[in-house]
Amino acid sequence: MSRIVVTNSVTLDGVMQAPGRANEDRRDGFDLGGWAQPYADSVMGSVMAAGIGDAGALLFGRKTYADFASIWPAMTLENPYTEVINNIPKYVASMTLPGPLTWNNSILLSGEATTTVAELRQQPGKDIVILGSGELVRALMRWGLIDQYTLLIHPLVLGTGRRLFPDGGPSASLDLIDSTTTSTGVIIATYRPAAPVAPAPPVPLPGLA
């Protein structure tokens, strides 16, 4: 069975919107895009390279896929991720995205995301990594289909923007299994869903035993 692994940059107040570029995602009038750029360093680069390098595939929601597909095919090989991202299998969970998909090695998972991703997860192979795709992440969380979260927590509060875990979203109990701090103060924290807590055995009350 493959694992579904979420890898996302977030701020201290949980914002995940447009970390990479100013015009990456301007929904709701968001004009603070590119907030993660000043925090990049060699530690972060090594962690990200290892995660993507060990992945067997990437998984996207419709909007994040469209953004990546508009940028990465023209990216130069000077970028260390270009060759891997362009050549790795890329699954897109969407019921509205029209095919065929022109970006190399892209596969459309038509149908309900929780069903198609659950089927994909049952296949043997390496990790399937989700980048961005907040709506997809939350849908899969509700059905227990996320096996690991790697969150790059930036020392930054934006006060606005779309959050990875918004109010009214699914809840989850997680175990911290690894953490690394970069030279710029980013905490790279890796979590896995916690095992269910077994109920405590009943304790007889005095006089009622």
Side-chain angles (χ1 to χ4, degrees), residues 127-190:
D127 291 346
I128 299 169
V129 176
I130 300 178
L131 301 174
S133 309
E135 292 182 14
L136 175 62
V137 169
R138 291 186 289 275
L140 299 182
M141 280 181 66
R142 291 186 186 276
W143 293 91
L145 295 175
I146 305 294
D147 297 289
Q148 183 170 296
Y149 302 81
T150 298
L151 302 182
L152 289 73
I153 305 167
H154 290 62
L156 177 68
V157 175
L158 293 180
T160 187
R162 297 195 173 208
R163 290 182 288 149
L164 179 59
F165 305 120
D167 294 344
S171 60
S173 179
L174 307 175
D175 288 331
L176 178 68
I177 62 169
D178 188 41
S179 65
T180 301
T181 303
T182 74
S183 65
T184 59
V186 175
I187 298 173
I188 304 175
T190 302

Side-chain angles (χ1 to χ4, degrees), residues 40-166:
D41 74 347
S42 60
V43 176
M44 185 186 297
S46 296
V47 172
M48 293 297 293
I52 294 176
D54 290 341
L58 300 178
L59 174 61
F60 297 98
R62 177 190 58 81
K63 190 177 191 317
T64 303
Y65 174 80
D67 180 67
F68 271 59
S70 70
I71 297 295
W72 284 97
M75 196 72 73
T76 69
L77 292 178
E78 294 177 359
N79 187 301
Y81 306 120
T82 297
E83 189 170 2
V84 172
I85 288 179
N86 279 326
N87 292 316
I88 196 171
K90 293 169 282 287
Y91 295 99
V92 191
S94 175
M95 298 180 67
T96 59
L97 187 66
L101 305 180
T102 58
W103 189 14
N104 185 43
N105 286 340
S106 295
I107 303 131
L108 180 62
L109 300 176
S110 57
E112 179 60 43
T114 52
T115 300
T116 56
V117 174
E119 294 172 350
L120 185 65
R121 183 170 173 259
Q122 290 299 318
Q123 299 177 13
K126 295 182 177 181
D127 291 346
I128 299 169
V129 176
I130 300 178
L131 301 174
S133 309
E135 292 182 14
L136 175 62
V137 169
R138 291 186 289 275
L140 299 182
M141 280 181 66
R142 291 186 186 276
W143 293 91
L145 295 175
I146 305 294
D147 297 289
Q148 183 170 296
Y149 302 81
T150 298
L151 302 182
L152 289 73
I153 305 167
H154 290 62
L156 177 68
V157 175
L158 293 180
T160 187
R162 297 195 173 208
R163 290 182 288 149
L164 179 59
F165 305 120

Side-chain angles (χ1 to χ4, degrees), residues 27-44:
R27 285 178 295 176
D28 307 321
F30 187 73
D31 60 359
L32 300 174
W35 50 263
Q37 290 283 3
Y39 296 93
D41 74 347
S42 60
V43 176
M44 185 186 297

